[in-house]
Amino acid sequence: MEPETASVVDHYTRNNLMDRIRSALTRAGHDPDQPTIEMLAELDHLHGGGFATTEVQVEMAEIPRGCHILDAGCGIGGPSRYLAGVHDCSVTAIDLTPEYIDVAGRLNEQVGLADKISLRVGSVTDLPYENESFDVVLCQNVTMNVADKDAMFKEAFRVLKPGGVFTFTHLAEGPNAPPIYPLPWALTPEVSFLETPEKIFAKLSAAGFESIQDMTSQARDKAGGGPQPGTIGAAPAMGDDMPVRTGNSAKSIQEGRLVAMMVVALRPS
Ligand SMILES: C[S@@+](CC[C@H](N)C(=O)[O-])C[C@H]1O[C@@H](n2cnc3c(N)ncnc32)[C@H](O)[C@@H]1O
C-alpha cells in the first residue's frame, strides 16, 4: 500500500456521509427514501462540472452503450449509476475510500441498480481484476491523488481488452504552479500529485497507450458552463468548505497554475 493512502482515505471520509446526503436531498425538496439517478446526480458526480462533465466525457470517449466498464476511483458512484442506468453498461467500480463504497452500494440499492454495478474497496494502482476484462476504463479526478501514475496506467492498460479505451479527467501542473490550496482533492500539497500534461502523456505512452488525445477544449465547448445552478453540488460528500476549494481550483486554472485535462487513449488492438 502506498504511504499516502491513509491520508487520501482520511481526506474523503466524512463518517456520517449517508446522513449528510439524506439531509441535502431533503433540503433540496427531494424524498431521500425514494431517490432517482437524476436526483442524485445533483450531488454524486464529484468532479468539476458535475454530471454535465460525465455526460460529455461519455460522448468524447465514444463509450459504447452496453459495454463492460471499470469506474476506477468511483467515489459515491454517480458516474457508475449513470452508465448502468442510462447508458445500459455493465459496471465494475472500485475506490480507495471504504465509506464511499458503502454509500455507493446503498444508493445503488435504492435506485435498483445493485445487480448492474459490482463494487469493491481497492486501489487503481493494484487492480483486483483479470487481464483484458473491460471495454473501457473511466477515471474522473482520481489521478491527482495517485503518486504512482506509472503503476496506475500500467494497470489500466492490463485490464483493458485490446482496442479498449482509457479515459480520465485530471488537473495537471500548469506553467505557473503551484496551485492555490485548499483544493477539492487535497487541503495541502502532501496528497496532491499533479505532474505536467507532457509528463502525463509520456507515462501513458510508456504504459503502451496509443492515439492519446486531450479533448478538454472540445469538452468545454459541449459542457457549456458546468453544473446547473441551484443543484446541490459535491459538498455533502466532500465537505462544507467545497465552495472555497472549487473556487481555488477555478482561479488556479485561470492563472495557469493548473491545467484541466480530459484524456482519451487507446490500448492498441
Ligand atoms: C474527487 S473524487 C472523484 C470520484 C468519482 N470519480 C467522481 O468523479 O464522482 C476522487 C476519488 O478518488 C478516490 N481515490 C483516490 N486515490 C485512489 C486510488 N489510489 N485508488 C482508488 N481510488 C482512489 C478517492 O477515494 C475518491 O473517491
Side-chain angles (χ1 to χ4, degrees), residues 15-54:
N15 291 314
N16 57 350
L17 178 52
M18 201 63 198
D19 290 342
R20 288 174 62 87
I21 289 173
R22 290 178 63 83
S23 302
L25 289 172
T26 305
R27 276 197 304 275
H30 301 306
D31 177 356
D33 291 320
Q34 296 194 319
T36 62
I37 297 172
E38 293 73 24
M39 200 190 281
L40 292 173
E42 287 192 30
L43 59 77
D44 63 9
H45 292 251
L46 307 181
H47 48 257
F51 170 63
T53 299
T54 301

Side-chain angles (χ1 to χ4, degrees), residues 247-260:
N248 285 343
S249 183
K251 189 158 190 267
S252 296
I253 292 170
Q254 266 168 17
E255 294 181 357
R257 297 163 179 269
L258 290 174
V259 179

Side-chain angles (χ1 to χ4, degrees), residues 8 12 46-47 73-75 95-97 100 122-124 140-142:
V8 172
Y12 288 103
L46 307 181
H47 48 257
C74 62
D95 198 280
L96 203 56
T97 303
Y100 275 10
S123 177
V124 295
Q140 296 176 294
N141 287 29
V142 177

Side-chain angles (χ1 to χ4, degrees), residues 149-237:
K149 290 187 195 12
D150 291 318
M152 175 180 177
F153 293 165
K154 272 186 199 144
E155 281 294 86
F157 188 91
R158 178 183 69 74
V159 301
L160 273 172
K161 295 175 189 170
V165 175
F166 180 33
T167 179
F168 63 93
T169 50
H170 177 65
L171 276 307
E173 184 181 301
N176 301 327
I180 306 159
Y181 289 88
L183 287 160
W185 61 91
L187 303 185
T188 60
E190 283 70 37
V191 285
S192 185
F193 308 98
L194 303 181
E195 313 208 24
T196 62
E198 294 72 25
K199 269 199 184 158
I200 301 275
F201 268 51
K203 288 185 176 197
L204 286 166
S205 292
F209 287 104
E210 292 183 356
S211 308
I212 306 164
Q213 295 181 74
D214 184 355
M215 315 282 285
T216 308
S217 54
Q218 299 93 314
R220 203 173 280 137
D221 290 345
K222 282 195 176 279
Q228 296 281 59
T231 61
I232 299 168

